[in-house]
Amino acid sequence: MRTTAQWQAADASHFLHPFTDFGALARKGSRIITKAENIYLTDSEGQRILDAMSGLWCVNVGYGQQALIDAATRQLKELPFYNAFFQTATPPAIELAELLAEVTPPQFQHVFFAGSGSEGNDTIVRMVRRYWDILGQPERQVIISRKNGYHGSTMAGASLGGMSYMHAQGGLPIPNITHIDQPYWYENGRPQGLSREDFGKVAAGWLEQKILEVGPEKVAAFIGEPIQGAGGVIVPPETYWPEIQRICDKYGILLVSDEVICGFGRTGNWWGCETMGFRPDLMTFAKGVTSGYIPLGGVMVGDRVAKVLIEQGGDFNHGYTYSGHPVACAVALANIKLIRELKLVEQVRENTGPYLAAQFKALEDHPLVGEQQTKGLMGALLLVKDKAQGTPFASELEVGMVCRGHCFGNGLIMRAVGDRMIIAPPLVITRAQVDEMMALIRRALDLTLTDVRAKGWL
Ligand SMILES: *Cc1c(COP(=O)(O)O)cnc(C)c1O
């Protein structure tokens, strides 16, 4: 086994990491993660780290689950690959399609497989435009999305997403994708004195304004995450999604739920749209479908769209080599069966989710915490300069990164999105482990407070 320094040197010489300042990381050196079990990672120095981000929002059943390992091994021996292009199919892909139809809301009976969430959203763009073509409305091209939403990093995924720093590189967004503001009450509703409920309706109204501005006859679809994940775990007011649904229905616009994070139990129901109260026509999934053990993504296609594609569509000229990859599908089957067996969705809804909510609520008295939010096993703490006024820290101080540094230093992975500290721990986390995680979070907050005071930032 190489030493940490040797790994870091080789890494810096050859491996360009995603969403990374290559030069800065090469100088600093990566942290090398060597193994993991349950909710704990181990690095090359032997330090144990509680993984409160489930890898990257995906390892929902935790690390080391034998059922998933066995499923992959068995399938690799039996049939490691065969495609679904040549009017062919493999048993794991068929069985997974069948099981997905069972665990998704009733309007979903069909699936189109992809290799990742980004690819799934590329499929969404192709599919909704094709849908309107078939119906003789080819002018319906425009897809409306939201600022600070995240839908992946391919050309279409990054365009649908509303991350301005991503659009700034590579000439994005691609044509016919436009964005409305996000439903972020603390930043946009609270300063105007709006209640969460009223703000939810105002924010949904921005969709109607945009539809009228573009021209309803040109709008193909609206896409959003039930709860924005990478944008900072922003839980919209309860009034938001039902109003979005009403507006989409009014103009006949397809409603797309990007369930890449919220799907498979994260919010205490199988799907985020169930938790937030809307009925999408299409859903993107990835991450939790295999608990990240192997890449897989796809699109659940609701009856409204499936019927048109199947009965009137002819050839759909789109697909991926790995659409329905048998090993990925076999792992997904084992993963979904395990989620059921362990009753993880119920556990999040009735046990660990409410428990986490109470623990986060208790952090409201911390001098740095301006707002806390949780839904199921997603949570965010916003660090602010002045709690009473809700004044943020200057962004160049990077207070979130200071806090993240203290988390990493003390054996906890918690992510910083600006000054929003976010978690999404594995769904197998126990109450005792939530306590352990909360103790680490409190410690990181206290150390951050000490730093911030010492630097005179408060
Ligand atoms: C991660 C993510 C994606 C992109 O998935 P990849 O597998 O990284 O391509 C899309 N949408 C949401 C909501 C995500 O969180």
Side-chain angles (χ1 to χ4, degrees):
M1 196 63 163
R2 303 189 205 184
T3 64
T4 301
Q6 287 168 335
W7 283 124
Q8 287 173 332
D11 177 58
S13 302
H14 303 293
F15 184 4
L16 302 176
H17 295 219
F19 285 95
T20 293
D21 176 337
F22 305 134
L25 182 63
R27 286 187 292 280
K28 181 176 172 215
S30 296
R31 188 162 191 180
I32 313 298
I33 306 300
T34 51
K35 54 188 180 179
E37 182 62 32
N38 185 238
I39 67 165
Y40 303 99
L41 309 167
T42 305
D43 71 12
S44 55
E45 295 292 292
Q47 198 194 339
R48 184 170 117 131
I49 310 156
L50 192 159
D51 183 8
M53 278 307 298
S54 305
L56 202 48
W57 318 88
C58 51
V59 188
N60 289 355
V61 297
Y63 299 93
Q65 290 286 4
Q66 198 59 44
L68 277 63
I69 299 164
D70 289 345
T73 311
R74 261 197 318 272
Q75 191 57 43
L76 281 164
K77 285 188 189 155
E78 185 95 10
L79 179 69
F81 177 75
Y82 200 72
N83 74 67
F85 283 49
F86 301 162
Q87 305 192 340
T88 46
T90 64
I94 299 169
E95 276 185 45
L96 179 60
E98 195 174 45
L99 184 57
L100 285 169
E102 203 179 308
V103 299
T104 48
Q107 68 269 31
F108 294 110
Q109 293 300 316
H110 294 88
V111 61
F112 193 99
F113 288 118
S116 67
S118 301
E119 286 181 10
N121 282 325
D122 274 52
T123 297
I124 292 274
V125 173
R126 300 286 303 274
M127 196 177 272
V128 301
R129 290 181 177 166
R130 178 70 192 138
Y131 168 83
W132 289 113
D133 273 350
I134 296 168
L135 290 180
Q137 298 184 54
E139 66 286 357
R140 284 219 196 223
Q141 289 277 312
V142 175
I143 302 174
I144 302 175
S145 172
R146 298 176 307 176
K147 291 177 188 161
N148 201 38
Y150 188 79
H151 298 294
S153 196
T154 51
M155 293 292 279
S159 296
L160 290 174
M163 301 297 185
S164 51
Y165 63 94
M166 289 172 75
H167 293 173
Q169 299 178 346
L172 300 179
I174 57 174
N176 289 320
I177 291 176
T178 184
H179 301 80
I180 60 172
D181 278 320
Q182 60 184 335
Y184 187 5
W185 174 79
Y186 193 85
E187 222 170 57
N188 304 115
R190 186 193 47 88
Q192 298 177 48
L194 287 172
S195 69
R196 277 185 64 84
E197 287 64 35
D198 289 345
F199 173 69
K201 289 193 183 152
V202 169
W206 298 332
L207 173 59
E208 186 156 26
Q209 284 168 24
K210 182 61 89 176
I211 291 169
L212 294 173
E213 180 192 314
V214 171
E217 71 292 347
K218 291 193 183 139
V219 181
F222 173 74
I223 183 170
E225 303 155 83
I227 296 167
Q228 287 157 262
V233 181
I234 295 165
V235 185
E238 283 178 11
T239 46
Y240 180 75
W241 275 109
E243 183 64 8
I244 291 281
Q245 169 92 63
R246 190 189 66 75
I247 294 165
C248 286
D249 289 349
K250 180 173 171 189
Y251 296 98
I253 290 162
L254 292 170
L255 177 51
V256 186
S257 185
D258 184 337
E259 297 272 355
V260 171
I261 287 175
C262 294
F264 299 98
R266 171 65 55 196
T267 69
N269 288 293
W270 274 91
W271 304 95
C273 60
E274 294 167 328
T275 299
M276 301 313 293
F278 65 106
R279 189 182 172 284
D281 297 300
L282 297 143
M283 301 198 298
T284 321
F285 65 86
K287 295 188 173 122
V289 65
T290 56
S291 284
Y293 279 48
I294 200 161
L296 180 67
V299 172
M300 293 306 301
V301 184
D303 291 337
R304 174 179 170 192
V305 175
K307 196 167 159 23
V308 171
L309 293 175
I310 294 166
E311 292 177 7
Q312 310 171 49
D315 277 346
F316 182 46
N317 301 323
H318 171 73
Y320 308 103
T321 300
Y322 300 135
S323 288
H325 193 289
V327 180
C329 291
V331 172
L333 278 166
N335 177 59
I336 295 169
K337 286 176 186 163
L338 188 63
I339 291 172
R340 278 183 158 174
E341 220 173 278
L342 300 177
K343 297 200 183 322
L344 291 182
V345 182
E346 294 82 353
Q347 185 176 314
V348 171
R349 180 168 57 233
E350 288 152 24
N351 182 5
T352 46
Y355 190 65
L356 177 73
Q359 306 299 310
F360 260 51
K361 179 96 186 121
L363 281 176
E364 279 179 352
D365 62 13
H366 194 280
L368 282 179
V369 175
E371 178 193 55
Q372 62 78 27
Q373 282 194 306
T374 66
K375 191 61 92 175
L377 286 184
M378 300 171 82
L381 298 166
L382 176 66
L383 310 183
V384 296
K385 184 177 161 75
D386 181 334
K387 284 169 69 106
Q389 301 299 319
T391 319
F393 287 106
S395 60
E396 62 272 18
L397 299 179
E398 300 198 332
V399 173
M401 290 305 279
V402 173
C403 185
R404 195 188 83 155
H406 287 304
C407 293
F408 275 39
N410 285 293
L412 172 72
I413 298 222
M414 189 179 195
R415 189 167 169 187
V417 176
D419 293 340
R420 272 177 95 78
M421 304 304 301
I422 62 175
I423 56 159
L427 308 189
V428 292
I429 195 170
T430 64
R431 281 186 177 224
Q433 288 172 328
V434 171
D435 290 341
E436 183 189 345
M437 176 178 77
M438 293 311 301
L440 291 169
I441 290 175
R442 233 176 221 288
R443 180 142 164 231
L445 288 174
D446 290 343
L447 289 168
T448 305
L449 181 62
T450 306
D451 282 357
V452 164
R453 282 190 174 140
K455 291 183 166 140
W457 292 347
L458 206 62

